[in-house]
Amino acid sequence: MKIRPNISRLRIIVFSSVALGIVALAALLYTVNPTQCALYPPCFFHKLTGLYCPGCGSTRALHQLLHGNLADALHFNPLAVLALPVLGYLVVRRSASQVRPVWVRVAFAIILTFGVVRNIPGYPFTALVP
């Protein structure tokens, strides 16, 4: 006779652990400003190449968003700020595992395009630099 763990109890434990981790990280990000503290790691891609990756500025954007500064958050990384509602929707619906491959390709194309466009040296593209 095999003993099966209670799946619903395991899901509750995992969900609670992840939620607690997110709250703890959000509290840290709320209290420690990434522009004034070296606690957060720098972007390895930017340090290596001098170019901005699609994620550059995300930590600063989330810090500003937690403080209610939407305009400043959009300045640091508009893609990260605009992607949050979509990610939240997927988490609430628990449909992240059911995303069709075409949407994964579309998301990848958007991220790649944003990464290229924000490195074009000239206005209006320089407005996307964090």
Side-chain angles (χ1 to χ4, degrees):
M1 180 166 136
K2 282 187 174 180
I3 299 175
R4 291 180 51 194
N6 188 343
I7 299 299
S8 62
R9 178 179 279 172
L10 182 62
R11 283 185 180 175
I12 290 171
I13 291 171
V14 169
F15 177 78
S16 300
S17 299
V18 170
L20 184 63
I22 290 171
V23 168
L25 288 174
L28 176 69
L29 189 55
Y30 181 84
T31 57
V32 181
N33 189 344
T35 59
Q36 298 172 349
C37 180
L39 173 70
Y40 305 102
C43 177
F44 179 72
F45 182 79
H46 179 67
K47 202 170 202 173
L48 187 65
T49 65
L51 299 172
Y52 297 102
C53 77
C56 279
S58 294
T59 306
R60 290 172 282 171
L62 290 174
H63 174 78
Q64 292 300 323
L65 204 56
L66 286 170
H67 285 274
N69 303 327
L70 181 61
D72 290 339
L74 286 169
H75 165 74
F76 285 120
N77 192 323
L79 182 64
V81 173
L82 297 175
L84 282 176
V86 175
L87 293 173
Y89 173 76
L90 290 174
V91 168
V92 169
R93 286 229 8 200
R94 296 182 191 165
S95 62
S97 63
Q98 300 170 1
V99 174
R100 294 189 176 132
V102 68
W103 291 113
V104 173
R105 289 185 191 116
V106 167
F108 181 73
I110 290 170
I111 293 168
L112 186 63
T113 302
F114 179 72
V116 170
V117 167
R118 78 185 322 196
N119 286 292
I120 296 174
Y123 185 80
F125 309 112
T126 53
L128 297 173
V129 173

